């Protein structure tokens, strides 16, 4: 993270860019973006960047339309004489496509990382989805600084839920779910999940009878279709539990996911890595 420097916001990231500029005593630059009639992007840095450390803030929740304007902005900064160009992407997209499951499939995480590495000198992000890759260093050719939201999630749970039982979505989440539970001083379990399709997950939970008096709290790094949490909530109900609290790092909520989850949950709270009505946990302190 640059101390001082100049911060630009890609559309939709104004609040985060302004908070970061304030925290790091930097300046807020002006970036103009609009679409030409043919839908191509026009990008202009309307602030002088010569000799400056430039940070562009762009959470990548909708990466396909966001990517080209972002690269244009980074290239413009470099062409205009910036000393360095960094990206703050609280949510880093495409990290889940980390294997070739069928012949000929794009391994999007590696492709995306290669392209970002060409445009930026470094990246700052929060809890990227790492499953088969142990570290982002396996993917990126530039330094990537990773911050973790687990302590913030744990604080929220400790302040808002009595006698919680922390529940992780799958076995891969065990380590960080355990860290959250440990900080809260609560027990934890993880589900066994098999994804059969974009909107089809098969999940099983252990017998939770010993935790019957506790409040279930589902914790996940990403909610996209919502199927993982909705299925877990259904299994909890089958064991006689009340509707769960749902605590999320990256609230993508595609399509009707949020409305569907409102029916299944007692309360939904997310980090503001992506701007959403469920935001209740601020992450700017992790990035500054
Ligand atoms: C996957 O391993 C992640 O941790 C999430 O569980 C997953 O991305 C959630 O996706 P969805 O909301 O579409 O079930």
């Amino acid at each position: 993270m640059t101390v001082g420097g100049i911060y630009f916001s890609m559309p939709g990231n104004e609040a985060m860019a302004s908070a970061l500029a304030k925290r790091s005593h930097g300046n807020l630059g002006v970036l103009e973006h609009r679409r030409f009639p043919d839908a191509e992007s026009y990008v202009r840095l309307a602030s002088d960047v010569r000799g400056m450390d430039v940070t562009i803030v762009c959470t990548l929740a909708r990466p396909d339309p966001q990517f080209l304007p972002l690269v244009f902005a980074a290239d413009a900064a470099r062409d205009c004489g910036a000393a360095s160009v960094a990206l703050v992407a609280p949510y880093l997209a495409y990290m889940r496509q980390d294997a070739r499951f069928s012949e000929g499939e794009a391994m999007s995480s590696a492709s995306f990382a290669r392209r970002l590495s060409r445009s930026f000198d470094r990246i700052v992000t929060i809890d990227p989805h790492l499953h088969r890759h142990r570290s982002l260093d396996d993917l990126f050719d530039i330094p990537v600084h990773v911050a973790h939201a687990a302590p913030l999630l744990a604080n929220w749970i400790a302040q808002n839920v009595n006698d919680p039982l922390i529940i992780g979505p799958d076995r891969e989440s065990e380590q960080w779910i355990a860290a959250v539970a440990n900080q809260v001083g609560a027990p934890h379990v993880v589900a066994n999940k098999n994804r059969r399709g974009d909107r089809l997950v098969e999940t099983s939970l252990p017998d939770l009878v010993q935790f019957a008096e506790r409040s279930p709290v589902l914790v996940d790094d990403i909610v996209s279709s919502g199927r993982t949490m909705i299925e877990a909530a259904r299994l909890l109900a089958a064991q006689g539990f009340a509707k769960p609290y749902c605590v999320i790092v990256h609230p993508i909520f595609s399509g009707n996911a949020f409305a569907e989850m409102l029916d299944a949950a007692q309360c939904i709270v997310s980090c503001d890595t992506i701007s959403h009505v469920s935001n209740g946990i601020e992450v700017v302190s992790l990035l500054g």
Side-chain angles (χ1 to χ4, degrees):
M1 171 62 55
T2 309
V3 174
I6 185 162
Y7 290 74
F8 290 94
S9 162
M10 295 309 290
N13 295 269
E14 292 77 7
M16 184 63 79
S18 159
L20 280 170
K22 194 170 167 198
R23 268 188 90 85
S24 55
H25 308 291
N27 297 317
L28 204 50
V30 176
L31 183 148
E32 295 171 10
H33 173 254
R34 67 181 175 83
R35 298 271 176 197
F36 288 110
D38 58 5
E40 289 184 357
S41 273
Y42 169 89
V43 174
R44 174 175 175 247
L45 303 183
S47 308
D48 188 8
V49 298
R50 265 170 303 179
M52 300 183 81
D53 291 320
V54 168
T55 300
I56 300 176
V57 182
C58 185
T59 204
L60 287 161
R62 304 283 177 257
D64 291 14
Q66 289 172 317
F67 181 72
L68 272 180
L70 177 62
V71 166
F72 295 157
D75 289 353
R78 214 174 287 286
D79 294 347
C80 293
S84 67
V85 186
L87 168 65
V88 171
Y91 174 67
L92 189 55
Y94 276 118
M95 294 299 112
R96 285 176 294 176
Q97 305 199 12
D98 57 0
R100 224 181 290 285
F101 299 99
S102 311
E103 198 181 343
E105 254 178 20
M107 203 161 100
S108 317
S109 56
S111 288
F112 195 56
R114 273 199 299 275
R115 266 130 198 101
L116 284 176
S117 297
R118 281 183 203 154
S119 294
F120 292 93
D121 296 309
R122 64 184 180 284
I123 294 177
V124 180
T125 191
I126 296 177
D127 288 325
H129 188 83
L130 288 174
H131 184 175
R132 290 167 192 85
H133 299 295
R134 277 185 308 163
S135 151
L136 290 184
D137 296 339
D138 296 350
L139 295 172
F140 286 84
D141 303 324
I142 53 172
V144 183
H145 308 277
V146 174
H148 298 286
L152 302 180
L153 304 187
N155 275 345
W156 188 91
I157 295 166
Q159 284 169 15
N160 292 281
V161 187
N162 292 325
D163 298 324
L165 166 65
I166 313 296
I167 303 160
D170 48 39
R171 300 212 168 279
E172 292 75 34
S173 68
E174 167 112 44
Q175 210 175 337
W176 77 279
I177 293 295
V180 171
N182 198 28
Q183 191 183 326
V184 177
H188 76 277
V189 295
V190 291
N192 204 356
K193 177 173 108 178
N194 273 317
R195 185 173 284 282
R196 301 282 180 209
D198 291 348
R199 292 174 186 276
L200 184 61
V201 291
E202 282 173 7
T203 306
S204 61
L205 280 174
D207 185 345
L208 301 175
V209 68
Q210 60 177 312
F211 304 117
E213 303 305 316
R214 289 189 168 264
S215 304
V217 182
L218 297 173
V219 178
D220 205 347
D221 60 345
I222 300 171
V223 169
S224 174
S225 71
R227 298 326 302 178
T228 301
M229 282 206 166
I230 289 169
E231 181 60 8
R234 190 184 66 75
L235 294 173
L236 285 166
Q239 292 201 34
F241 283 91
K243 289 183 178 182
Y245 291 79
C246 295
V247 181
I248 301 148
V249 181
H250 302 298
I252 295 179
F253 288 118
S254 47
N256 286 335
F258 186 61
E260 290 172 17
M261 269 188 56
L262 281 176
D263 282 343
Q266 164 168 184
C267 167
I268 303 174
V269 67
S270 65
C271 296
D272 61 354
T273 59
I274 299 166
S275 177
H276 188 261
V277 66
S278 63
N279 290 165
I281 302 172
E282 284 188 5
V283 296
V284 66
S285 62
L286 301 177
L287 299 167

